[in-house]
Amino acid sequence: MNQLVERFLRYVQFDTQSNPSDQACPSSQGQLVFANQLKAEMIAIGLTDVSLSDDGYLMGRLPSNVSANVPAIGLIAHMDTAPDASGAQVKPQLVENYQGQTIALGTSGEVLSPEQYPDLNGLHGHTLITTDGTTLLGADNKSGIAEILTAIATLVANPEIQHGEICVGFTPDEEIGRGADRFDVKKFGAQWAYTIDGGPVGELEFENFNAASAEVIVHGVNVHPGTAKGKMINAMNIAAQFQLMMPADETPESTEGYEGFYHLVAMSPSVAKTTLHYIIRDFDQDSFAARKAFMTEQVAMLNQNLQGKGRVELVLSDSYFNMKEMVAPHPEIIELAQAAMADCGIEANIKPIRGGTDGARLSFMGLPCPNIFTGGYNFHGLHEFITVQGMEKAVAVIVRLAEKTAQTYISKENA
Ligand SMILES: [Zn+2]
């Protein structure tokens, strides 16, 4: 079996599910067990300065093999799997030469069908790796780790391929939003990086939402209902009024593409005090600011209408920002990725991420960091799968990206 598939199948045996209710870093011990294994493998492949921090950040570098001044680029993947489905005792199934059939996932009763997942129709002849229907697969993001290390091993085995310094970083706890928290950008040493954490072949992402949360806190007055006349102020009624003041067609269920939204995610209701928890999302900085201003105005208006019979407070806090702002000033980061894909016969599929990524946070920490495909599908659930051909393309793109970057800067230096 080829090295790439062997690595991937070996990695998914490690249970590295992260745990949002554990405040430790990493949030689960399994991630450290896996990290130690990877550390030994990185050293064996020939990476230098391999280090694993106590909090589970694993880094190493492949020194440049050219004398020219080529920028150091980073490759990043995460070691944890999503809390949404079990990642213990993963038993992958290999389906060779797929021909469009519905695939039974082990004896679980779960199936993978082209009716439900039309992407399968484009994968005839490919080798699929699926779950047995009882766990997730962990292609998110162990395929990224297998692809990065296979690409590095390819560069080591083929010294005629020119490349600058390549910095490799594997992070814990991405799935619970903490992967960038303790990432040491300076120690990592790259000028920019790519997370290898996307989906189908061709995916290239460098735009994500600007994100904020908003708490609308309504203060009412509670009195015994038997003697409440003229005294009780029911905070829940005021909260309901507020929600109706929000645009009904600017919600997650009625938007797509580059459209932003307000989303009432939860509420804590009572007569005396009701809190509405919203998230605000928008790709554009100005309309993101306008959304926050709109909520502020609506709160002011409602307070005015209440004339002291109840009071509404608003607490806004920013969560993360669109990485485009940090990536756009360096167009070569995207151009090189697109060109590397084109050289591998792949047309880059650039689309905005309707969410956030660790790459977005790293971008604002000084490490511009777009996202490249892994070849996987249906992350975070029992129907997760990946193709061997897609993984091989990811390896080819990473190798070509390293080479292309070196060639580009060598010819700049000679110009
Ligand atoms: Zn991921």
Side-chain angles (χ1 to χ4, degrees):
M1 200 184 308
N2 76 42
Q3 272 189 9
L4 173 62
V5 175
E6 180 276 320
R7 280 198 175 96
F8 176 67
L9 294 178
R10 185 156 45 84
Y11 298 165
V12 300
Q13 303 304 318
F14 289 86
D15 178 2
T16 59
Q17 187 182 53
S18 46
N19 177 3
S21 53
D22 192 324
Q23 291 314 308
C25 182
S27 68
S28 60
Q29 277 305 305
Q31 296 185 66
L32 275 183
V33 173
F34 182 40
N36 271 300
Q37 186 75 34
L38 284 176
K39 181 183 173 188
E41 189 171 345
M42 287 165 73
I43 293 168
I45 288 173
L47 288 166
T48 61
D49 301 322
V50 177
S51 68
L52 173 61
S53 69
D54 292 342
D55 34 25
Y57 287 76
L58 180 56
M59 291 181 180
R61 70 183 87 244
L62 182 68
S64 169
N65 66 359
V66 295
S67 55
N69 202 1
V70 175
I73 62 170
L75 300 168
I76 297 173
H78 62 88
M79 295 181 284
D80 63 321
T81 62
D84 312 57
S86 170
Q89 298 190 334
V90 173
K91 296 183 195 72
Q93 298 188 147
L94 259 81
V95 180
E96 283 176 32
N97 191 18
Y98 178 66
Q99 290 300 324
Q101 71 275 27
T102 291
I103 299 167
L105 298 177
T107 54
S108 65
E110 294 282 337
V111 298
L112 198 59
S113 75
E115 288 74 35
Q116 197 180 1
Y117 301 110
D119 282 334
L120 284 166
N121 292 320
L123 300 173
H124 290 196
H126 289 219
T127 300
L128 312 189
I129 305 178
T130 75
T131 72
D132 72 348
T134 62
T135 65
L136 50 64
L137 179 61
D140 178 11
N141 189 209
K142 286 162 180 158
S143 62
I145 299 174
E147 288 157 2
I148 290 169
L149 290 185
T150 304
I152 296 289
T154 305
L155 292 173
V156 170
N158 299 277
E160 73 283 2
I161 304 176
Q162 295 179 308
H163 62 84
E165 183 174 298
I166 314 285
C167 308
V168 173
F170 298 134
T171 61
D173 292 335
E174 188 267 356
E175 298 290 2
I176 54 174
R178 302 183 203 154
D181 284 7
R182 304 192 190 186
F183 192 98
D184 188 338
V185 169
K186 201 168 159 213
K187 178 181 169 191
F188 189 56
Q191 290 196 26
W192 71 82
Y194 303 89
T195 48
I196 310 296
D197 192 19
V201 170
E203 247 181 43
L204 175 59
E205 301 164 319
F206 60 96
E207 291 181 77
N208 59 281
F209 275 141
N210 292 295
S213 62
E215 300 221 325
V216 176
I217 306 152
V218 182
H219 301 275
V221 175
N222 197 9
V223 184
H224 188 284
T227 57
K229 187 169 183 183
K231 299 188 192 93
M232 180 189 281
I233 299 169
N234 192 330
M236 290 180 282
N237 287 338
I238 299 171
Q241 276 182 54
F242 182 83
Q243 166 61 4
L244 292 174
M245 291 163 78
M246 299 301 289
D249 57 349
E250 294 177 27
T251 58
E253 63 270 37
S254 53
T255 51
E256 62 183 354
Y258 281 98
E259 296 165 334
F261 57 74
Y262 305 92
H263 178 33
L264 176 59
V265 286
M267 45 189 174
S268 333
S270 75
V271 171
K273 184 182 175 188
T274 293
T275 305
L276 303 174
H277 304 270
Y278 289 89
I279 60 172
I280 303 171
R281 298 289 185 265
D282 209 299
F283 287 97
D284 182 79
Q285 258 185 348
D286 292 339
S287 41
F288 178 58
R291 285 182 188 281
K292 291 188 278 186
F294 176 81
M295 282 194 96
T296 308
E297 286 157 22
Q298 298 309 101
V299 166
M301 195 188 302
L302 184 54
N303 271 326
Q304 206 168 26
N305 295 347
L306 289 171
Q307 299 185 324
K309 291 185 174 137
R311 182 169 59 84
V312 187
E313 252 182 283
L314 175 66
V315 181
L316 282 166
S317 49
D318 289 327
S319 311
Y320 54 84
F321 301 105
N322 188 347
M323 74 167 101
K324 188 182 180 186
E325 187 190 332
M326 308 310 286
V327 175
H330 313 282
E332 66 276 14
I333 299 174
I334 297 302
E335 285 162 11
L336 284 165
Q338 268 179 296
M341 286 190 197
D343 290 349
C344 297
I346 300 161
E347 194 187 340
N349 172 19
I350 295 178
K351 59 180 180 91
I353 309 168
R354 290 180 65 80
T357 67
D358 275 356
R361 289 185 47 220
L362 291 172
S363 294
F364 283 88
M365 287 160 69
L367 183 69
C369 195
N371 189 33
I372 288 179
F373 71 88
T374 59
Y377 297 80
N378 305 339
F379 290 164
H380 297 194
L382 310 179
H383 296 138
E384 186 181 7
F385 70 95
I386 195 161
T387 72
V388 171
Q389 286 75 7
M391 291 175 67
E392 285 170 344
K393 291 232 157 157
V395 173
V397 166
I398 296 168
V399 170
R400 182 64 190 137
L401 181 54
E403 184 180 33
K404 187 101 192 164
T405 306
Q407 288 171 345
T408 303
Y409 283 84
I410 289 168
S411 59
K412 268 188 194 172
E413 216 170 78
N414 294 340

